[in-house]
Amino acid sequence: MEVRSALVPSLILQPLIENALKHGVGATSGLVEITLKASREADQLHITVENDMPSIETRGSRPPGMGAGLRNVAERLSTRFQEECNFVSGVISESRYRASFDIPWRSA
């Protein structure tokens, strides 16, 4: 439970969860799983948000990309942490999407 004391930039998770809701829950009929995971690896905090999304048959051949919300998260992290952060997002399986970032570990 050590990650509960981790410090993250204000409102950095909100657009990731909103994205999961919009492209997962809002675009899919039936149950949708959204997961939020946090872990510490050495001096880095790793945060991942994953969500179910429509299959390729439903959404067409164009996979979801880096919309305004995700671009904003990436820019905010880069501005704040420069080379000390990493942001990655994209399709990880036919019907699953992941956005994750690593930032320097800081605790309250």
Side-chain angles (χ1 to χ4, degrees), residues 1-6 38-40 105:
M1 299 299 170
E2 180 182 9
V3 295
R4 289 180 188 233
S5 66
S39 62
R40 181 178 182 179
W105 173 262

Side-chain angles (χ1 to χ4, degrees), residues 11-29:
L11 301 174
I12 203 73
L13 295 175
Q14 180 181 351
L16 299 180
I17 299 299
E18 286 177 351
N19 193 65
L21 289 169
K22 177 181 177 183
H23 296 289
V25 175
T28 306
S29 60

Side-chain angles (χ1 to χ4, degrees), residues 28-70:
T28 306
S29 60
L31 296 177
V32 173
E33 178 185 60
I34 298 173
T35 60
L36 170 62
K37 296 178 184 177
S39 62
R40 181 178 182 179
E41 297 171 18
D43 290 335
Q44 292 283 305
L45 174 65
H46 181 72
I47 294 185
T48 300
V49 177
E50 285 187 18
N51 60 278
D52 294 332
M53 64 180 192
S55 67
I56 195 165
E57 294 85 28
T58 306
R59 73 174 188 267
S61 61
R62 185 174 171 210
M66 188 86 139
L70 295 179

